[in-house]
Amino acid sequence: MSLLAKSLSRVFCTFFFVAVYSGSVAAELTYSGAIKAGNESGSIPPWNGGLTSPPGGWNKKNGFKNPFAGETPLFVINGSNYSEYTSKLSPGQIALLKSNPRYSMPVFKTHRTAVLPKTEIKVVKAETGKAQISQHRIVGRTKSHMPFPSPSSGEEAIYNYLLRYVGNGFEREYAWFPVRPGKKYYKVGFKDRVVYANSMKPNQVDKGLNYAFYANFTAPSTLVGTVYLVHEFVDTIQNPRAAWIYNAGARRVRRAPDLAYDNVADGTEGMRTTDQYFAYNGATDRYDWKLIGRKEMFVPYNTYDLTNKNLKYADILDEGTVNPKYMRYELHRVWVVEATLKSNSKHIYGKRVFYMDEDSWSILGEDCYDTRGNLWRIGVHGLIQIYDKLVPWSNLLLWHDLNNGNYLAAHLDNEVKKPIRFGINDRWTNFQPDALRRRGTR
C-alpha cells in the first residue's frame, strides 16, 4: 500500500471509530485520540485534563499516595458472577475468573487521570498526521511520543506504546517474583537506568537512537554480577537492537544478539519473554498487526495502593495471584490490538492481543496464545499517573500462566527506600560496552 493510500486509510479509520461512538455528530478527541466525552451511562466520565498535582500531604518517600483512598468498590467481579460482565471483560480475564478461585476484580469509580506535560502535548499535536509505517519502519516522525493518535492499523497503535513518554528517562530499583502454587516464590532484585536520545550528552536524536539503558541484578546471588546494556533505535529494522551482557564470573563483555523477541528473561521461570519487558518492546516485524477497535473494559487503573511503602512484598503476593485487597479496576475505553505470528517467523506466542488505554496508549492487559491457538498467559498491568512529573506509569506487570497456575509479579518497589527518579540525563560514553565492565565490577 502506498503512503498516500495509508494516509487516506488513517483518515477514514479515524472517522469510522468516531462515528461508532458518537452517532452522526463527530466526537471531540483529545490530543491522544481519546474520545473526550464520557459514555452514555456516565460510568466513564469525560476527560478533563488528567491528574496534574499530588494529593495533599504526599511524601514521595512513602510511595505515591492514593488520591482516591476514601473510595470503596462499586462491586467485585469473581468466579461466581463474571457472566454478568462478560461484555466488558477480555477472554483472558474470563479464563482467569473461571479457573482461579483466588482471582477477583474489585471495580471502583472511573477516574481518567492520564496526561502528559504541555510541552509534550504540543509536540504530539504538531506532528499528528505526519508519521507513517512502511515495512515495519516508522517514517516521518521527529520527536512525538504519540505519533498516531488516530491509528489506522494495529502496528501504528503499538508504536504509540513503543515511543511513549516516560519522563525522558528514569532510574529505579524494583523487584519481581515468580510465584508457584502454595505461595512459593523468590525475589529477583533489579536496577535499571533508561536515558532517551534527547537526554544524552551529546544528543543522540540524529543518530536514530530511541533510548539506551543498562541494568543489573541485586538478587538472587546467582544473578548478581550480570549487567545488561541495550541501545534501542526508533527504526528497529534498519538499526536492530544492539545489546551486550557482562558476566561477573567470566569477567568479560560479550554481544547478546538473543536479548530480543522470545528469548526467556533471566529470573522469570520462563514466564516472561524478553519482548515482554514493560509488556511489549522491540521490533514489530514477526507479527501481522490488526486494529480491532475500541472497547469499554474493566482494567487495572489508578493502582496506587500497590506503591505503599508501608507494605511488605509478602502482603501483596497471595496464593494464586496478587492480593486483590490492593488492586483497583475501573471501566475505561481501550483500543484492542491483535498481533498474529507470521507463517515464516518464530515466537512462542502465536497470537497476542493487547488492550491499550485510549488516554495514554499504555498496555493495561494482554492475552497470549500458544502456536496451536490455545490461550496461555494473561497479562494484567496496573497504571498510575505520576502526578509530580506527569508520566503515565506501569506500576504493576502481572502475568498468569493458565497451564500451571504460576504467576509473575513485577515492578514492585515497596521495600526499596529510594524512590524512582525521572528526567535522567547522562553521557553517551557511559552507555558504551567498555563502560559495562566498570559497572559490573562495582
Side-chain angles (χ1 to χ4, degrees):
M1 184 183 289
S2 69
L3 293 182
L4 175 59
K6 287 184 177 182
S7 180
L8 292 173
S9 174
R10 182 180 300 108
V11 172
F12 173 79
C13 185
T14 301
F15 172 79
F16 174 77
F17 284 119
V18 169
V20 165
Y21 271 81
S22 59
S24 58
V25 180
E28 182 182 358
L29 302 181
T30 70
Y31 69 92
S32 70
I35 297 169
K36 189 171 185 179
N39 61 4
E40 289 186 7
S41 68
S43 54
I44 296 177
W47 184 80
N48 290 319
L51 183 61
T52 58
S53 60
W58 173 54
N59 183 338
K60 194 169 188 176
K61 293 181 180 179
N62 297 328
F64 289 92
K65 186 176 180 181
N66 186 351
F68 318 112
E71 297 180 353
T72 56
L74 303 174
F75 52 90
V76 177
I77 304 174
N78 54 39
S80 64
N81 67 359
Y82 73 89
S83 59
E84 301 173 31
Y85 305 99
T86 53
S87 65
K88 291 179 171 58
L89 298 171
S90 74
Q93 289 174 323
I94 293 171
L96 274 176
L97 289 162
K98 290 172 65 175
S99 64
N100 187 339
R102 298 277 187 165
Y103 182 74
S104 62
M105 301 170 59
V107 177
F108 290 75
K109 178 182 177 180
T110 297
H111 299 276
R112 296 175 69 178
T113 49
V115 65
L116 301 184
K118 291 180 179 179
T119 52
E120 298 299 327
I121 293 174
K122 184 177 180 180
V123 173
V124 170
K125 290 180 176 179
E127 292 191 19
T128 293
K130 295 183 178 180
Q132 309 269 349
I133 299 290
S134 177
Q135 297 180 332
H136 303 292
R137 298 173 57 193
I138 184 170
V139 295
R141 177 258 187 191
T142 304
K143 296 187 296 182
S144 177
H145 288 290
M146 203 174 285
F148 304 106
S150 298
S152 62
S153 69
E155 195 164 16
E156 289 182 351
I158 203 69
Y159 261 100
N160 284 336
Y161 184 69
L162 293 173
L163 298 172
R164 70 195 180 283
Y165 177 74
V166 284
N168 286 326
F170 57 87
E171 183 177 54
R172 61 176 176 157
E173 181 178 352
Y174 69 100
W176 69 71
F177 299 84
V179 186
R180 296 177 178 175
K183 202 177 175 180
K184 298 175 182 177
Y185 62 82
Y186 62 90
K187 172 187 171 183
V188 180
F190 205 64
K191 288 183 179 180
D192 52 8
R193 182 179 178 89
V194 179
V195 181
Y196 279 72
N198 61 334
S199 297
M200 287 288 186
K201 298 177 182 179
N203 188 300
Q204 296 295 307
V205 172
D206 292 341
K207 302 291 180 63
L209 184 75
N210 184 12
Y211 60 82
F213 82 87
Y214 51 73
N216 64 279
F217 291 93
T218 61
S221 58
T222 52
L223 292 174
V224 172
T226 300
V227 188
Y228 300 115
L229 169 65
V230 172
H231 295 170
E232 190 78 279
F233 295 89
V234 174
D235 186 340
T236 57
I237 304 303
Q238 183 174 337
N239 295 307
R241 170 182 294 168
W244 297 262
I245 186 171
Y246 172 82
N247 183 277
R251 294 188 177 182
R252 68 184 183 93
V253 177
R254 61 177 176 82
R255 292 297 294 261
D258 57 348
L259 201 64
Y261 297 111
D262 61 349
N263 182 60
V264 174
D266 288 339
T268 65
E269 297 293 311
M271 284 186 285
R272 194 198 78 196
T273 58
T274 297
D275 64 6
Q276 285 179 305
Y277 173 76
F278 263 109
Y280 189 81
N281 72 90
T284 60
D285 59 321
R286 293 194 179 182
Y287 288 91
D288 290 319
W289 298 82
K290 182 179 180 181
L291 187 66
I292 305 299
R294 296 189 212 237
K295 172 185 174 69
E296 291 185 5
M297 187 169 153
F298 295 117
V299 287
Y301 214 101
N302 293 314
T303 49
Y304 286 98
D305 284 349
L306 287 168
T307 74
N308 189 336
K309 296 290 187 178
N310 292 321
L311 293 177
K312 300 296 183 182
Y313 296 133
D315 298 325
I316 295 172
L317 304 172
D318 209 349
E319 174 68 26
T321 189
V322 299
N323 192 333
K325 177 181 178 180
Y326 305 111
M327 289 296 292
R328 179 187 179 106
Y329 291 82
E330 299 180 357
L331 184 66
H332 285 261
R333 285 185 292 249
V334 300
W335 287 95
V336 183
V337 175
E338 183 179 280
T340 303
L341 186 65
K342 293 180 177 180
S343 59
N344 60 347
S345 294
K346 172 189 169 294
H347 201 287
I348 64 171
Y349 299 136
K351 186 174 77 171
R352 305 159 84 166
V353 182
F354 299 97
Y355 304 94
M356 306 178 70
D357 175 32
E358 70 166 348
D359 289 326
S360 67
W361 289 102
S362 299
I363 295 175
L364 303 176
E366 55 178 311
D367 292 347
C368 301
Y369 296 77
D370 64 25
T371 54
R372 294 170 294 178
N374 299 315
L375 193 57
W376 181 10
R377 289 176 179 156
I378 313 304
V380 179
H381 307 321
L383 185 75
I384 62 173
Q385 172 74 358
I386 305 294
Y387 27 65
D388 61 324
K389 299 296 182 181
L390 304 190
V391 176
W393 179 256
S394 300
N395 73 315
L396 172 71
L397 291 180
L398 174 66
W399 290 275
H400 282 274
D401 191 314
L402 296 178
N403 291 344
N404 56 26
N406 294 346
Y407 73 91
L408 180 72
H411 282 208
L412 300 177
D413 63 356
N414 307 80
E415 297 180 24
V416 177
K417 292 183 179 180
K418 190 175 181 180
I420 185 172
R421 294 175 55 223
F422 292 94
I424 301 297
N425 298 291
D426 210 330
R427 300 198 62 81
W428 181 234
T429 53
N430 291 333
F431 289 85
Q432 303 307 307
D434 59 351
L436 195 59
R437 184 188 301 271
R438 295 195 299 272
R439 292 198 60 80
T441 55
R442 288 179 182 177

